Amino acid sequence: MTHRFAIRVYYEDTDMGGIVYHANFLKFIERARSEWVAGLGLDQNAMRNEGIVFAVRRIEADYMLPARYGDELEVRTTTASVSGARLVMDQKVMRGEEVLFTAQVVVACITMDGRPVRLPAGIRRIVN
């Protein structure tokens, strides 16, 4: 299943040439992942209260085409794999059917002091 998240490019997202600054694509996909997790019914505040959080471990990104001020974009997120302590997600930033940016994001489940911990079983069932 693909989660879809709409983004409009604002002036603050761009450089002097009106093109989206490269680091802002990472912000776009982060927002989309946060909405995806919330849409699955996962309460990250409750997880944190139990001493468990998600942390990005790795991002492999490719920039294909620029996004510009005023563009209406969509971030598409799909689960690539789930293991004991991590989720791997494929994300695309689209303008219509044009792929502007792709990323594979590895998110680990860790304790508040940074040690790896298994994903709660309920989460593995939801995202699988």
Side-chain angles (χ1 to χ4, degrees):
M1 184 167 90
T2 300
H3 178 267
R4 297 169 183 259
F5 180 70
I7 300 259
R8 178 184 298 276
V9 176
Y10 295 103
Y11 186 74
E12 68 183 15
D13 298 321
T14 65
D15 61 17
M16 290 179 59
I19 294 173
V20 170
Y21 181 67
H22 73 279
N24 287 332
F25 280 99
L26 299 176
K27 291 180 180 182
F28 296 164
I29 66 173
E30 175 69 29
R31 289 179 202 153
R33 284 194 312 277
S34 294
E35 290 296 324
W36 174 70
V37 167
L40 291 172
L42 300 176
D43 184 345
Q44 291 190 74
N45 285 321
M47 284 177 59
R48 186 180 63 236
N49 290 340
E50 295 173 12
I52 299 172
V53 294
F54 290 121
V56 172
R57 183 174 183 280
R58 175 179 164 75
I59 296 179
E60 185 175 324
D62 287 308
Y63 298 84
M64 271 70 100
L65 293 169
R68 300 186 190 309
Y69 172 75
D71 281 352
E72 293 182 18
L73 308 177
E74 182 178 73
V75 181
R76 298 179 186 173
T77 304
T78 57
T79 303
S81 67
V82 181
S83 66
R86 64 183 178 180
L87 302 171
V88 179
M89 288 158 283
D90 290 326
Q91 294 190 277
K92 292 180 184 178
V93 178
M94 312 286 294
R95 181 178 48 228
E97 291 304 312
E98 286 183 298
V99 179
L100 307 182
F101 173 87
T102 64
Q104 184 167 78
V105 183
V106 178
V107 177
C109 201
I110 62 173
T111 62
M112 295 298 284
D113 61 357
R115 289 180 289 141
V117 65
R118 290 185 65 76
L119 286 166
I123 293 173
R124 285 194 305 274
R125 280 193 299 275
I126 291 170
V127 297
N128 248 343

